[in-house]
Amino acid sequence: MSVHNPDIKRITTHVIQELKSKGEKISALTAYDYSLARLVDAAGVEIILVGDSASNVMAGHETTLPITLDQMIYHATSVVRAVKRALVVVDLPFGSYQGNSSEALRSAIRIMKESGAHSVKMEGGLEVRESIIRVLSAGVPVMGHLGLTPQSIYKFGTYAVRAKEETEAQKLLEDAKMLEDIGCFAVVLEKIPAALTKQVSESLTIPTIGIGAGPDADGQILVLHDLLGINKEFKPRFLRRYADLHGVITQAIGHYVDDVKDREFPSKEEAY
Ligand code: KIV
């Protein structure tokens, strides 16, 4: 059952900040298309991320690297059309902001102008500081993303838990503080030890949004298709499946195929 508060008309970055201040956990999910974004929004999720995980989930790529800015804008535009309440955050895709801060600004402005989204997300810490500052300077709210940053997967070499070692944990803490200081409104913490999440969340005033980061983040995010159980193969420890849509969908389609073959569908009542 959703705890959707009908008094909140539209979720803004200020509402997200207030939720942390009040100690209320923040719910976030991905969406990439109109139909599912409508359901996610109506169910009361506060943040809808048009994640570059669309590269894996929607296009079947192995990584998030191939998705383009145009493709992200297409997904974001469909989601924005559906959403009445949630804050819509859109990933700046790989290659659209790392080059220099002017490129980052151009990419963020395209997303905001062409999709009507409310904010962008950028992966990384000190390495992308100037780009984030430039985007923020144009009045575009930015969500940071630290820990396992999938756009750097070829640098990491694996999707294993990040920042288990003291030096990496220390850098993550410093990066998180830096993101807060320059004006990010929230930061995603992906696949890091729960104790580190607690430490970061307690030392920041902006909200942390965890995925595979334990219970102490200020909010949680999952990839919608994972939560719905559409993909049976992906089963990391952090994933809780709330439905078995793989079973429901394959059974429904199998039933349809049988009915067509058996001349059971359409019936006389379903004909004109
Ligand atoms: O692209 C994505 O879906 C994400 C979330 C998993 C945080 O970045």
Side-chain angles (χ1 to χ4, degrees):
M1 213 55 58
S2 143
V3 288
H4 177 170
N5 180 350
D7 296 338
I8 299 177
K9 294 275 176 281
R10 183 103 230 180
I11 306 288
T12 62
T13 55
H14 296 282
V15 173
I16 296 299
Q17 180 63 60
E18 275 168 28
L19 292 175
K20 169 154 181 161
S21 309
K22 285 194 295 187
E24 182 175 333
K25 295 279 187 181
I26 299 159
S27 61
L29 273 179
T30 64
Y32 319 104
D33 69 288
Y34 176 82
S35 302
L36 289 180
R38 260 178 70 161
L39 297 179
V40 174
D41 189 46
V45 163
E46 281 109 8
I47 298 176
I48 296 185
L49 171 68
V50 184
D52 58 0
S53 50
S55 179
N56 314 94
V57 176
M58 303 303 283
H61 291 297
E62 210 169 292
T63 72
T64 59
L65 275 65
I67 200 160
T68 65
L69 186 57
D70 284 337
Q71 288 164 341
M72 287 303 297
I73 290 171
Y74 168 77
H75 287 297
T77 308
S78 310
V79 168
V80 167
R81 253 181 238 128
V83 170
K84 294 192 166 58
R85 179 175 179 268
L87 179 81
V88 179
V89 183
V90 182
D91 264 330
L92 280 186
F94 178 67
S96 72
Y97 63 99
Q98 292 92 344
N100 58 59
S101 64
S102 315
E103 184 185 37
L105 181 60
R106 235 185 344 267
S107 303
I109 286 180
R110 276 202 62 201
I111 287 181
M112 301 297 283
K113 260 186 186 297
E114 295 177 38
S115 76
H118 313 131
S119 57
V120 300
K121 176 160 81 58
M122 296 164 75
E123 293 186 5
L126 200 54
E127 321 76 45
V128 287
R129 183 175 176 275
E130 294 315 311
S131 291
I132 296 178
I133 289 176
R134 191 74 186 272
V135 172
L136 286 164
S137 75
V140 178
V142 177
M143 175 184 263
H145 184 155
L146 299 172
L148 176 63
T149 45
Q151 292 178 11
S152 307
I153 191 60
Y154 290 116
K155 183 176 95 183
F156 299 144
T158 105
Y159 285 97
V161 177
R162 305 301 313 171
K164 282 163 106 174
E165 309 298 331
E166 182 53 32
T167 33
E168 197 182 337
Q170 194 51 42
K171 175 172 173 1
L172 190 142
L173 256 170
E174 286 164 15
D175 280 344
K177 198 79 196 96
M178 179 277 293
L179 292 175
E180 167 162 290
D181 290 344
I182 63 177
C184 288
F185 74 92
V187 54
V188 167
L189 300 176
E190 180 163 352
K191 235 177 165 188
I192 62 170
L196 180 58
T197 302
K198 187 169 190 312
Q199 199 182 351
V200 176
S201 305
E202 285 173 357
S203 65
L204 297 188
T205 56
I206 58 168
T208 58
I209 309 291
I211 174 164
D216 289 312
D218 301 303
Q220 297 291 331
I221 185 161
L222 284 175
V223 167
L224 178 64
H225 292 62
D226 297 341
L227 167 151
L228 294 175
I230 289 181
N231 173 351
K232 269 178 48 149
E233 292 81 40
F234 184 63
K235 38 187 174 198
R237 188 204 297 200
F238 70 77
L239 173 60
R240 186 179 298 179
R241 289 203 179 93
Y242 286 83
D244 170 25
L245 284 204
H246 181 277
V248 171
I249 292 172
T250 48
Q251 208 182 18
I253 296 172
H255 203 151
Y256 164 75
V257 171
D258 289 347
D259 280 358
V260 170
K261 301 277 178 204
D262 296 344
R263 298 164 197 269
E264 290 283 337
F265 176 82
S267 65
K268 279 207 187 84
E269 292 72 31
E270 287 158 327
Y272 295 98

